[in-house]
Amino acid sequence: MTALGALPVLFGRAMSRRSGDMLLGFAAGVMLSASYFSLILPGLGAAEGLYGSVAVAAGIAAIGIALGAAAVAALNHALPHEHFQTGPEGSDPHGLARIWLFVIAITIHNFPEGMAVGIGFGGGDLSNGFSLATGIGLQNAPEGLAVAVALMSQGYGRGRAFTIAALTGLIEPLGGLLGVWLIHVSVHILPIGLTFAAGAMLYIISHEIIPETHRKGNQERATAGFIVGLILMMVLDVTLG
């Protein structure tokens, strides 16, 4: 889906900044809805089933969300990477070529998404796994397009921008494998794993995607895309799950 989303850069005109921000807002809405409906709520249910206590389930979910957000924050500060508008971040970002800075930035975003899908399937609830995979896939299409367009705006050719955007999607299956493995280590990892993935995605939404969509005065379009993405993922989760 990341590669399919990036395909238009090979044939069409360059996408406007307004359209790009709207698509990124859509991706954020899908991720937020998936975080709650497909990760946090099933995580709470799994924890309550294991421990027989709503209070314990809420505590486990809180810990999982906090750990997920903290893990991505640590990666964000430790790994050198570059944002499309604000420039380099992390440790000594000037030591790497710009192309790898972009690749690392997108990797930070995509890995928790793949892990969330893996955990969704690994927990044994196939309907939840399918709804997560569908939602994440849908939001990866505009994300792939946004990445390719952003790379083109930095001077990369159409073919190279498409190839890099497509390759960034390959990290998600690796995250999925890790998620499945963690769940099979112990059934008690399921609730913490689901909420951990949610916390990681919530951090990305707040720290990365939403600020990116509001920098150029396109917040109304971005917010409209956000609401559409959230509703679409909610409908998918309810109807598929």
Side-chain angles (χ1 to χ4, degrees), residues 108-162:
I108 294 173
H109 289 199
N110 285 348
F111 191 80
E113 297 174 5
M115 190 172 69
V117 175
I119 290 172
F121 277 110
D125 186 347
L126 293 183
S127 62
N128 187 53
F130 277 119
S131 65
L132 261 175
T134 303
I136 295 299
L138 284 173
Q139 71 91 20
N140 276 342
E143 185 179 79
L145 179 59
V147 169
V149 170
L151 289 172
M152 285 180 61
S153 72
Q154 299 294 322
Y156 297 108
R158 291 178 181 270
R160 197 177 187 195
F162 167 79

Side-chain angles (χ1 to χ4, degrees), residues 19-238:
S19 297
D21 285 342
M22 184 171 64
L23 288 175
L24 282 176
F26 173 86
V30 169
M31 290 175 69
L32 181 62
S33 190
S35 295
Y36 280 93
F37 288 100
S38 298
L39 293 172
I40 293 177
L41 291 180
L44 285 168
E48 186 178 357
L50 284 171
Y51 302 105
S53 169
V54 174
V56 171
I60 290 174
I63 293 171
I65 293 169
L67 288 175
V72 178
L75 286 174
N76 198 53
H77 289 292
L79 295 178
H81 60 286
E82 185 165 343
H83 297 282
F84 298 135
Q85 296 296 323
T86 58
E89 275 191 18
S91 61
D92 190 23
H94 301 289
L96 293 175
R98 288 175 63 87
I99 185 173
W100 290 111
L101 295 178
F102 281 112
V103 170
I104 293 173
I106 301 306
T107 299
I108 294 173
H109 289 199
N110 285 348
F111 191 80
E113 297 174 5
M115 190 172 69
V117 175
I119 290 172
F121 277 110
D125 186 347
L126 293 183
S127 62
N128 187 53
F130 277 119
S131 65
L132 261 175
T134 303
I136 295 299
L138 284 173
Q139 71 91 20
N140 276 342
E143 185 179 79
L145 179 59
V147 169
V149 170
L151 289 172
M152 285 180 61
S153 72
Q154 299 294 322
Y156 297 108
R158 291 178 181 270
R160 197 177 187 195
F162 167 79
T163 301
I164 295 170
L167 289 175
T168 60
L170 292 179
I171 192 65
E172 298 207 22
L174 296 178
L177 289 173
L178 176 61
V180 172
W181 178 79
L182 286 174
I183 292 304
H184 282 82
V185 169
S186 170
V187 68
H188 293 279
I189 294 178
L190 177 60
I192 198 78
L194 287 168
T195 53
F196 179 95
M201 292 207 294
L202 290 172
Y203 179 91
I204 292 168
I205 295 166
S206 177
H207 185 73
E208 305 284 350
I209 300 180
I210 291 179
E212 190 74 34
T213 63
H214 284 54
R215 286 196 181 102
K216 296 296 182 179
N218 299 320
Q219 54 268 22
E220 290 188 3
R221 283 176 173 259
T223 301
F226 177 86
I227 297 299
V228 171
L230 188 149
I231 292 173
L232 177 61
M233 182 59 197
M234 179 193 68
V235 171
L236 285 172
D237 190 271
V238 171

